[in-house]
Each structure stands twice: as structure tokens, then as C-alpha cells.
Amino acid sequence: MKRYLITGFSGFVSYYFLKYLDERASKEGNKVEVLGLDLAKPASYEQDYRFTNLTVRFMPLNLLDGKGLEIALQAFFPDYVLHLASLSSVGESWRKPVDSYANNTNIFLNLADAVRRNGIKCRILSVGSSEEYGNVSKEAMPLREDMSLAPLSPYAIARVSQEMLSRCYVKSFGQDIVMTRSFNHIGPRQREAFVIPSFVKQLVYGAMDGKTEIEMTTGDTSIVRDFTDVRDVVRAYDLLLREGESGEVYNVCKGEGHALGDIIGLIAGKLGVEARISVDRALVRPNDNMVIVGDNSKLKGHTGWEPNLSLEDTIDDMIGYWKERCLLEKNTIDGHKE
């Protein structure tokens, strides 16, 4: 029975990784043990975290607590560690640069060193970000793993530091660490603090209120990003945990660029509404990367991974999710009216 330790357990990606792991275990006739670490249990834990082939345990833990992390590792002895935990907002890293850098760097360092000190023979997937590349010209796209890194935000600099620490522990201590530079991933259940679910929620709620024209305040919608469905992302993570090469870094991306304004148009068209956009300069990040599109040939070549879901598939599912949320909220409000 394989054991998976997942940091950042209560987040968006972890939920889909567990679903995929359960499905794969069912097909293969396996059972899997999972220990999830996070600051707090997922809000829907009792309802949504029931799996047929997974034995899932949760432990509340701040990964800056080195002693508590060591106790968890000694008790569980994982075969695989999926390190998802981070303060993941680029925008928030500008508002709280010290917290962003210190947290994201030190939680990984605590993890890698606790694994080393306790002699745990496991593979760690160190999840990084496409933000590590910095602002690269359109002519240089797509971004490849052998390109130089020029991070532009406190968040991105912390991710580069995490990658450098990973390489250090592989070369100096022989640890088994595979690294990713993960590009934007989206899907149902993602918090509206992120850009695409924010767009979907605003337009769905407006449409369900009967509006045909919806005012939206945004940042720079000319920015181009490479979006991959979270369900494709977790398949990539699973394959890299099992088949990636130790010490190597992999872009996890679809290889397609879409401007944010075009995605707003796609969502609005599906809902039969018109989006009227006004740009708030306060929402425009300093030194933002204007175009980020990745090359996924290394990931494909080493693991056979291919994305299965189109952007339209993902947007359809996100619209469905936010329609359900909107109806639930309306019914809850109506149910409390006297």
C-alpha cells in the first residue's frame, strides 16, 4: 500500500488530486493511504472527502513548525510527498512580500530537511510556478525549461528559491525530488480570488439576476496566459511522482495562450450577456508578465502526458459550478425570509 503525504491539503488542487488518485487506485485494484497537512481542515471535509480506495487522514499543521512536521513524517513515513502548500497569490505577495517569501521558502526547506534528517526514502514533487521565468518577449515564446529565470515578484522569487533548494538537496544529499514550473490552472471549485473564477462568478451572477449587460472592473485584460484544467494538472503531478526524473524540472502547461479579455468574451457569449469592462489601475500588478505560454514537450516526452480538456470544457464546468452556487445562495436567502 502506497502512502502519499499532501501539503496544502485543503486547497483546490489537492481535492482533484485525491479524486484522480482514487479513480486510478480503483482501476488498478489498489488501496492508498493519504495524510493531509494544512492549517485547517477543508470546509467540506465530511461531505466531499469520502473515497472508495483511499484511507485519508488529516492533521492540522503549520509547516513552519519544524518539530510538528518531523513528528508527522516519523509517524507516516510516506512513499510520495506532493508539496502544494504555499501563499499562492502573486498580487498578495506585493502587498505582503516578507510573509510571501519567508513562508513559501521556509515551509519547503523544513519539509526537505525533515525528510533528510529522518532518512525517509520518498519522492517529493516540488511544485513551482511559470512566474519564475519573468517577463519574456513574445518572440521567445514558448517558455522552455532550459531558459534563464528572471522572477519579477516576491512570490516568483520565493518559487525560484524553492527550486534552488530542491536542486541543492538532490545534488548534496541524494534526495529524490522532481520539480515543476506549473502554469495557470483553473477549474470548478477554484476560489474567486483568482482571476478566471472571478470573471465566471461575476458574469454568472449577473446573468442569473436577469442582466444582459454586466459591468466588470478588472486589471489588464490584454495579458496572455496559458491555462490548463486542474484535472489535467493533477494527472501530470501523479505521472511525475511515478515517472519523472529526479532533479529535473518540468513545465506543466497546455501550450496555448489566451488573453484575459478573450476569456471574458467566451464566458459572456456562453451566458448570452455583454461584459462592459473598466480597468482599475490599482488591480494592475507592478512588472506583470504580459505573455506567458509554455512548452510542455519535456513533460510529454518523459511521461506520455497529454491534456484532455479544452478551455471551453473547463469554462462550461466552471459556469455550471457557479450557477449551482448562485442558486444555493438564492435559496438560502429565500428560506430565511419571513
Side-chain angles (χ1 to χ4, degrees):
M1 182 181 290
K2 295 295 184 181
R3 296 187 182 94
Y4 287 75
L5 185 143
I6 302 175
T7 71
F9 177 82
S10 301
F12 164 62
V13 177
S14 173
Y15 171 77
Y16 283 102
F17 184 80
L18 291 169
K19 285 193 69 174
Y20 178 75
L21 197 60
D22 188 49
E23 291 165 5
R24 182 168 67 77
S26 177
K27 291 175 184 176
E28 297 173 358
N30 298 329
K31 296 291 183 181
V32 176
E33 284 189 55
V34 176
L35 175 62
L37 304 179
D38 211 318
L39 295 173
K41 187 181 289 188
S44 61
Y45 185 74
E46 305 302 332
Q47 176 183 347
D48 293 341
Y49 286 71
R50 298 175 181 175
F51 301 99
T52 305
N53 299 281
L54 308 183
T55 301
V56 180
R57 286 180 284 162
F58 173 77
M59 178 178 175
L61 182 70
N62 186 332
L63 295 177
L64 295 174
D65 176 5
K67 185 61 179 176
L69 178 57
E70 193 162 342
I71 291 169
L73 286 166
Q74 289 171 343
F76 189 62
F77 251 74
D79 299 294
Y80 301 107
V81 177
L82 176 57
H83 181 56
L84 298 171
S86 74
L87 298 176
S88 58
S89 169
V90 176
E92 189 67 14
S93 80
W94 285 110
R95 291 184 286 274
K96 298 179 180 178
V98 174
D99 290 346
S100 177
Y101 183 83
N103 181 86
N104 289 354
T105 304
N106 288 329
I107 60 175
F108 177 78
L109 183 57
N110 274 355
L111 174 65
D113 206 55
V115 168
R116 177 190 67 85
R117 290 195 314 272
N118 288 278
I120 298 172
K121 302 299 180 185
C122 66
R123 164 160 285 190
I124 300 172
L125 187 65
S126 172
V127 175
S129 170
S130 60
E131 293 285 334
E132 296 174 47
Y133 287 107
N135 212 339
V136 181
S137 69
K138 293 180 183 179
E139 293 72 29
M141 297 294 155
L143 299 167
R144 303 180 314 277
E145 292 89 346
D146 60 0
M147 295 172 71
S148 60
L149 304 179
L152 293 173
S153 68
Y155 168 80
I157 293 168
R159 286 306 204 188
V160 173
S161 297
Q162 178 180 324
E163 186 174 301
M164 294 175 71
L165 285 167
S166 297
R167 296 184 188 279
C168 173
Y169 273 73
V170 170
K171 292 179 179 179
S172 301
F173 302 118
Q175 281 192 243
D176 186 3
I177 304 176
V178 178
M179 295 156 280
T180 79
R181 293 181 194 144
S182 298
F183 288 59
N184 296 70
H185 34 283
I186 57 175
R189 300 174 66 101
Q190 189 174 27
R191 291 183 295 117
E192 63 264 37
F194 292 90
V195 63
I196 302 303
S198 169
F199 293 160
V200 176
K201 180 182 178 181
Q202 290 179 68
L203 291 168
V204 165
Y205 278 45
M208 294 187 76
D209 281 342
K211 297 177 182 177
T212 56
E213 294 185 359
I214 298 168
E215 301 287 337
M216 298 180 67
T217 302
T218 71
D220 186 351
T221 59
S222 68
I223 285 173
V224 174
R225 292 292 183 265
D226 187 337
F227 292 99
T228 308
D229 191 290
V230 65
R231 292 161 289 193
D232 284 329
V233 169
V234 298
R235 277 195 305 107
Y237 289 173
D238 179 62
L239 284 165
L240 287 172
L241 279 167
R242 293 184 291 128
E243 300 177 18
E245 291 187 18
S246 185
E248 292 293 321
V249 62
Y250 296 86
N251 286 339
V252 177
C253 60
K254 187 177 287 184
E256 301 174 358
H258 297 274
L260 298 185
D262 292 341
I263 295 177
I264 291 174
L266 174 64
I267 301 163
K270 287 179 175 293
L271 292 167
V273 297
E274 183 177 351
R276 296 197 172 276
I277 298 169
S278 59
V279 175
D280 181 350
R281 302 309 301 175
L283 298 176
V284 178
R285 300 169 186 162
N287 293 324
D288 211 349
N289 308 353
M290 295 308 298
V291 180
I292 300 179
V293 181
D295 181 334
N296 58 22
S297 57
K298 183 176 179 179
L299 172 62
K300 290 179 175 181
H302 285 205
T303 68
W305 177 87
E306 291 281 350
N308 290 335
L309 295 160
S310 70
L311 178 63
E312 286 211 24
D313 292 333
T314 307
I315 294 299
D316 285 340
D317 288 347
M318 293 177 74
I319 287 172
Y321 170 76
W322 284 106
K323 281 183 175 179
E324 288 182 9
R325 284 280 303 268
C326 184
L327 286 171
L328 180 62
E329 289 176 18
K330 286 178 179 292
N331 290 338
T332 300
I333 293 169
D334 290 344
H336 285 84
K337 289 180 179 177
E338 294 183 358

